[in-house]
Amino acid sequence: MNEVLLVAGMALVTFAARYPLLVLVGKLQLPQPVLRALKFVPIAVLTAIITPAIIFPRSNRPEFALSNEYLVAAIVAALVAWRSRNVLLTIVVGMLMLLAWRWIMALVHM
Amino acid sequence: MTLQHTFTRWTEFWAGVRDTFPLVVGAVPFGIIFGALAVTSGISPSGALAMSAFVFAGSAQFVAAGLFAGGAPVLVIVLTTLVVNLRHTLYATALAPHMKHLPQRWLIPLGFWLTDESFVVVSARHTRNDASPLKHWYFLGSAIFMYTNWQLCTLIGILVGRAIPNPAAWGLDFAAVVTFIGMLSQFVRNKPALVSAGVAGLCALLAHGLPNQLGLLVAAALGIAAGMLSEALFPGEQVKPVNPVQTTSAAQAKEAP
């Protein structure tokens, strides 16, 4: 079945991304350019995942406006994260800001 | 100094659980929305549970559910999963020197359980210069807490998904975004990292229209290239291989002797 194949394939490549380097490092020297590129992988991938979720929250139409509560809350969360480096605080402030801004926008448009 | 002599398997294990707590809080809505999204994307409840149990990679599962809903071929979903999870290779590379002494019966499960969250707390644990030889128990505590929570939240999400047809309307989908913003703030601390994030973010927006989340792959590749280029241009601004992160108790540990 398709789902079995899907889960098996995903499990295989995910384990392949996590496990082998735990064992090989120390026994095998990775080329310098590979190590340099790897440093940027989480930065680039995480950013590429979140920006579309912030700018295209509802449809395929970009929303660069104050009425986009995802954008407003993400900017506030980024400022909190930058200043505090505290992940939990960032999550809590970001989520509250999203709900608060959505509520404010609903009041404004009433 | 007395602390250094009191490390046991269980104190390490529970310290790992405790330090992972803030990140589990972020993963709770993320897991619930994955469960809900998976069933609304047409994945069966057992398929969603199996994905959480055997793949155990939040953002990749999220992207996979979206691709599945769009009718993408299995091969495309698997390739996208690989790219999204490639960052774990970096985490493994960074942790490996601390885990050289461990036998396979430790390395295989810890490798399987390696997530953004556990990496963040475990790498912070390894920056503490105490002599504890049991830091793998700390990793185990962090990993088991994350894993158990993920399975439970997936299950709750599947049940919620039937009751609430559109969980995004509740803003739950935003939990993953703010969690990632919090984690990014630990990495993005200098010019090359900022350039890499900026280029990846902008390209992800420009390439949003591409089918099958190809935009994500293109944006990630260009962001990595831009980061490397900018590092070559600003040699004074090297990105550190691992940025130790402050979790609550990592911050406390700095005050400890």
Side-chain angles (χ1 to χ4, degrees), chain A residues 3 14 17-19 39 102, chain B residues 44 56 104 112 114 169 231:
Chain A
E3 269 185 14
T14 303
R18 287 170 170 168
Y19 168 72
K39 287 189 298 191
R102 185 176 281 176
Chain B
S44 68
F56 186 48
Q104 287 298 324
F112 172 75
L114 181 57
E231 202 175 42

Side-chain angles (χ1 to χ4, degrees), chain B residues 1 3-4 7 12 15-16 18-19 120-132 135 138 244-257:
Chain B
M1 299 301 276
L3 262 178
Q4 293 189 4
F7 290 116
E12 286 285 1
R18 206 180 50 231
D19 291 353
V120 160
V121 295
V122 171
S123 58
R125 177 72 189 90
H126 282 291
T127 60
R128 275 176 259 162
N129 284 327
D130 55 68
S132 170
K135 288 173 184 169
Y138 179 97
V245 173
Q246 286 194 352
T247 59
T248 22
S249 78
Q252 286 159 9
K254 285 194 172 162
E255 294 150 24

